[in-house]
Amino acid sequence: MKVRRAEERDIPRIGELLLQVAAVHAKGRPDLFRAGQRKYTDEELKAILRDPMRPVFVAVNEDDLPLGYAFCADATHHDDNMLTPVRTLCQTGIIRTRFSAADFRLNRVIRLANTVKY
């Protein structure tokens, strides 16, 4: 499985994966989450993909179809009471629910994301 930077052509697939996540949230907490909705619209995803401080990575199969994603945020904590001013890459990620963690290792995405120069 290959991990690469997400591109605009991946938006439809990322949208499908976002719907899977939203369905889990809506089922578990219908008082907080609306069924059939997702966190980001296509326009919001386009803006995120263009933002160099918010890199998105996808794990793709041999047909270059995204099976999972990692949304990242490049952050440096200046003037923080507790944190040192070290550059960090915070992330959230998801895998397609029919695949197991053994099929898509999010840790690989996170390790890659932390070493990529972007």
Side-chain angles (χ1 to χ4, degrees), residues 14-117:
I14 293 170
E16 291 174 19
L17 295 168
L18 285 168
L19 278 172
Q20 289 182 24
V21 173
V24 171
H25 290 324
K27 183 177 181 181
R29 290 297 308 265
D31 56 318
L32 295 177
F33 299 98
R34 288 184 253 168
Q37 300 298 314
R38 61 186 212 209
K39 185 171 184 173
Y40 303 113
T41 66
D42 286 353
E43 289 304 312
E44 290 170 323
L45 286 172
K46 285 179 187 176
I48 291 168
L49 294 179
R50 289 185 201 126
D51 185 347
M53 300 303 284
R54 297 172 71 186
V56 178
F57 297 91
V58 289
V60 297
N61 65 11
E62 58 279 348
D63 296 322
D64 206 39
L65 178 70
L67 303 178
Y69 62 74
F71 281 85
C72 306
D74 188 346
T76 303
H77 302 279
H78 294 284
D79 302 319
D80 189 277
N81 288 335
M82 185 177 78
L83 301 173
T84 61
V86 174
R87 180 178 180 215
T88 61
L89 194 61
C90 307
Q91 67 282 317
T92 60
I94 189 66
I95 61 169
R96 189 170 177 197
T97 55
R98 73 180 197 127
F99 293 92
S100 70
D103 296 315
F104 172 70
R105 302 190 193 282
L106 186 56
N107 286 336
R108 179 176 174 214
V109 176
I110 293 166
R111 282 194 311 271
L112 176 69
N114 281 313
T115 62
V116 170
K117 302 288 187 235

